[in-house]
Amino acid sequence: MAKKAARATKQAARETVKAMAKAAAASAKTAVAATKTFIAALSAGGWVAPLILIVILIFGAVFHMTGGDNLSTVNPVSAQVETYRPVIQKYADQHGIGEYSIACGVQVLKAELTEAEAESPIDM
C-alpha cells in the first residue's frame, strides 16, 4: 500500500508540473499574441496604438501586483488521489511526519524537476 501511495503522490506531482507548464505556455502565447497585435497597431498608426499601449501597461501592472504567477493557485487533488489520504496519513503519523509534510512534498517535486531536467516548476 505504501508503494501505491508513493506512486500516487509521484503521479500527482507530475500532473502538477504538467499543469504548471501548460499555464506557463498559455501565458507565453498570450504575451506573443499581445505583442503581435501591438506591433500591427503601431504599423497601422492612428489612435489605436496608444490605446493598445495603455491597455497592455494596465494589464502588466495588474499582473505584477498580483504576483505574476500561478504558484499561489491551489489545484484540488483528484478524487483518485484523495482516496489514498487515509493510507498516507497512517504512514505519515507512523513516521512522525506532520499533515502532508511540506518538506517531503518539496523533495518529491525536486526529484521530478530533476528527472525532467527542468530549472523551475514553470520551466518549459
Side-chain angles (χ1 to χ4, degrees), residues 2-124:
K3 286 184 181 182
K4 278 187 177 182
R7 274 190 248 130
T9 302
K10 195 170 188 177
Q11 181 62 30
R14 281 191 193 119
E15 290 174 10
T16 300
V17 170
K18 286 179 185 177
M20 293 170 80
K22 286 181 182 179
S27 294
K29 287 179 183 178
T30 302
V32 168
T35 302
K36 286 181 180 179
T37 303
F38 180 69
I39 291 171
L42 281 178
S43 64
W47 61 272
V48 175
L51 179 64
I52 291 175
L53 178 61
I54 291 169
V55 170
I56 290 173
L57 290 173
I58 291 172
F59 179 79
V62 170
F63 191 71
H64 177 72
M65 289 186 306
T66 59
D69 63 20
N70 63 351
L71 295 178
S72 61
T73 304
V74 176
N75 293 326
V77 176
S78 70
Q80 181 183 9
V81 172
E82 191 63 40
T83 61
Y84 292 101
R85 181 181 293 273
V87 175
I88 294 169
Q89 191 63 52
K90 173 186 171 187
Y91 288 104
D93 291 344
Q94 187 177 23
H95 293 284
I97 298 174
E99 180 75 22
Y100 285 99
S101 171
I102 293 173
C104 182
V106 169
Q107 289 173 358
V108 171
L109 179 60
K110 174 62 177 167
E112 291 297 323
L113 292 172
T114 301
E115 185 176 310
E117 298 179 1
E119 294 180 10
S120 73
I122 58 173
D123 184 16
M124 301 201 29

